Amino acid sequence: DIYNTAVFKQISFNPIDKLIVTVGTRYDAMKIKYDNSLDHSTGSKNYNKFTFKAGANYNPIKNAGFYGNYSQGFSPPSITSIFKARTGTGGNTVIPAEFYYNLKPATFENYEFGGWINLLNNKLTLDYAFYYLDGKNELLSVRLEDSSTDYRSAGKTNHKGIELGLNYKPNEQWNFRMGGTIAKHRYIAFQLSDNSTDELQNLSGYEMPQAPRWNGNAELSYSPNWLPNFRTSIEWQSVGSYYQNQINSVKYDGYNIFNARVGYKYHNIEIYGNVMNLTDKLYAYNLSRGNASNSQTTYVAAAPRTFLLGIQYNLCLKK
């Protein structure tokens, strides 16, 4: 039986003109009462936490604004993590099943600052954000002396980056948007193995695998005046290089792909077509690699060039 309870309070006020300050607090309580038929145990687990946030929005002029905030996060371990049998226990083994009743909730501290600005009579909009996030007691898979793996709430991670957005609409026919993030995600504390004979035991200071430093997306749209209700666009998706393994010895180059879209609406009927992966690029949208020198990369190939044709009828009951 799972009981989730939360109470929060938030207050906003204006200490000076054009400045809004918001502060809030929240109390989360998660209680699990269990009757485990595998290890014949009965008990309960309680996870509770007070968290706090504070932020401010300042809009000194009509076409620009700034904000900053600090917030705390709280994430109890999942039910499947708690009641996952430890390796080598339960099942067909002769050892009674053991579970992860000792897992702790993860906590996070996030700092963020950003802003926006409108230029050229609101034809050009720019927004940006800087963030810094620390995580503690994150759930990690740790290798033990007997080469088995164990779950522990012992991880510390750090995430920091910049997010940028741009939207430019020079007229009613053309629109260009672009967004992206430059980020770095790394382990602050990650005891990978408790086995003294393992060559690699600690990953502290390494970057996280499958975490590119750059992600970007842009789209150019055109809706001509000479053909009302017609639209077309081309989209660019970019994923930068990233490490394949935890020891940061092998990188994946990332990829750039293009998608095209077109559509025409006639009364309540819209006909559209999309071409995904326009250049038929061969790339992997996910991959992983072990830390051993002879490990091989496992690739999950993305779809080749794909065509989609559709027709949509918009039912309108409003007179």
Side-chain angles (χ1 to χ4, degrees), residues 4 14 16 20 49 59 65 80 125 143 155 161 191 193 206 215 218 220 232 246 276 278 284 289 312 319:
N4 282 313
N14 299 80
I16 61 174
I20 301 175
K49 180 75 174 179
N59 301 288
T80 53
T125 302
R143 187 179 177 189
Q191 186 66 29
S193 172
Y206 284 90
N215 275 293
L220 178 64
T232 183
Q246 294 174 318
M276 313 306 290
L278 185 64
R289 184 187 180 101
Q312 176 177 303
K319 294 182 180 181

Side-chain angles (χ1 to χ4, degrees), residues 1 30-35 42-47 101:
D1 296 321
M30 176 181 177
K31 183 177 182 180
I32 304 171
K33 295 179 66 177
Y34 61 88
D35 185 2
T42 299
S44 63
K45 296 294 297 181
N46 293 280
Y47 304 98
Y101 301 134

Side-chain angles (χ1 to χ4, degrees), residues 79-106:
I79 302 300
T80 53
S81 298
I82 298 172
F83 293 99
K84 177 181 176 64
R86 294 180 185 271
T87 303
T89 69
N92 296 326
T93 69
V94 296
I95 303 175
E98 297 179 7
F99 298 89
Y100 293 92
Y101 301 134
N102 62 330
L103 292 180
K104 301 176 182 178

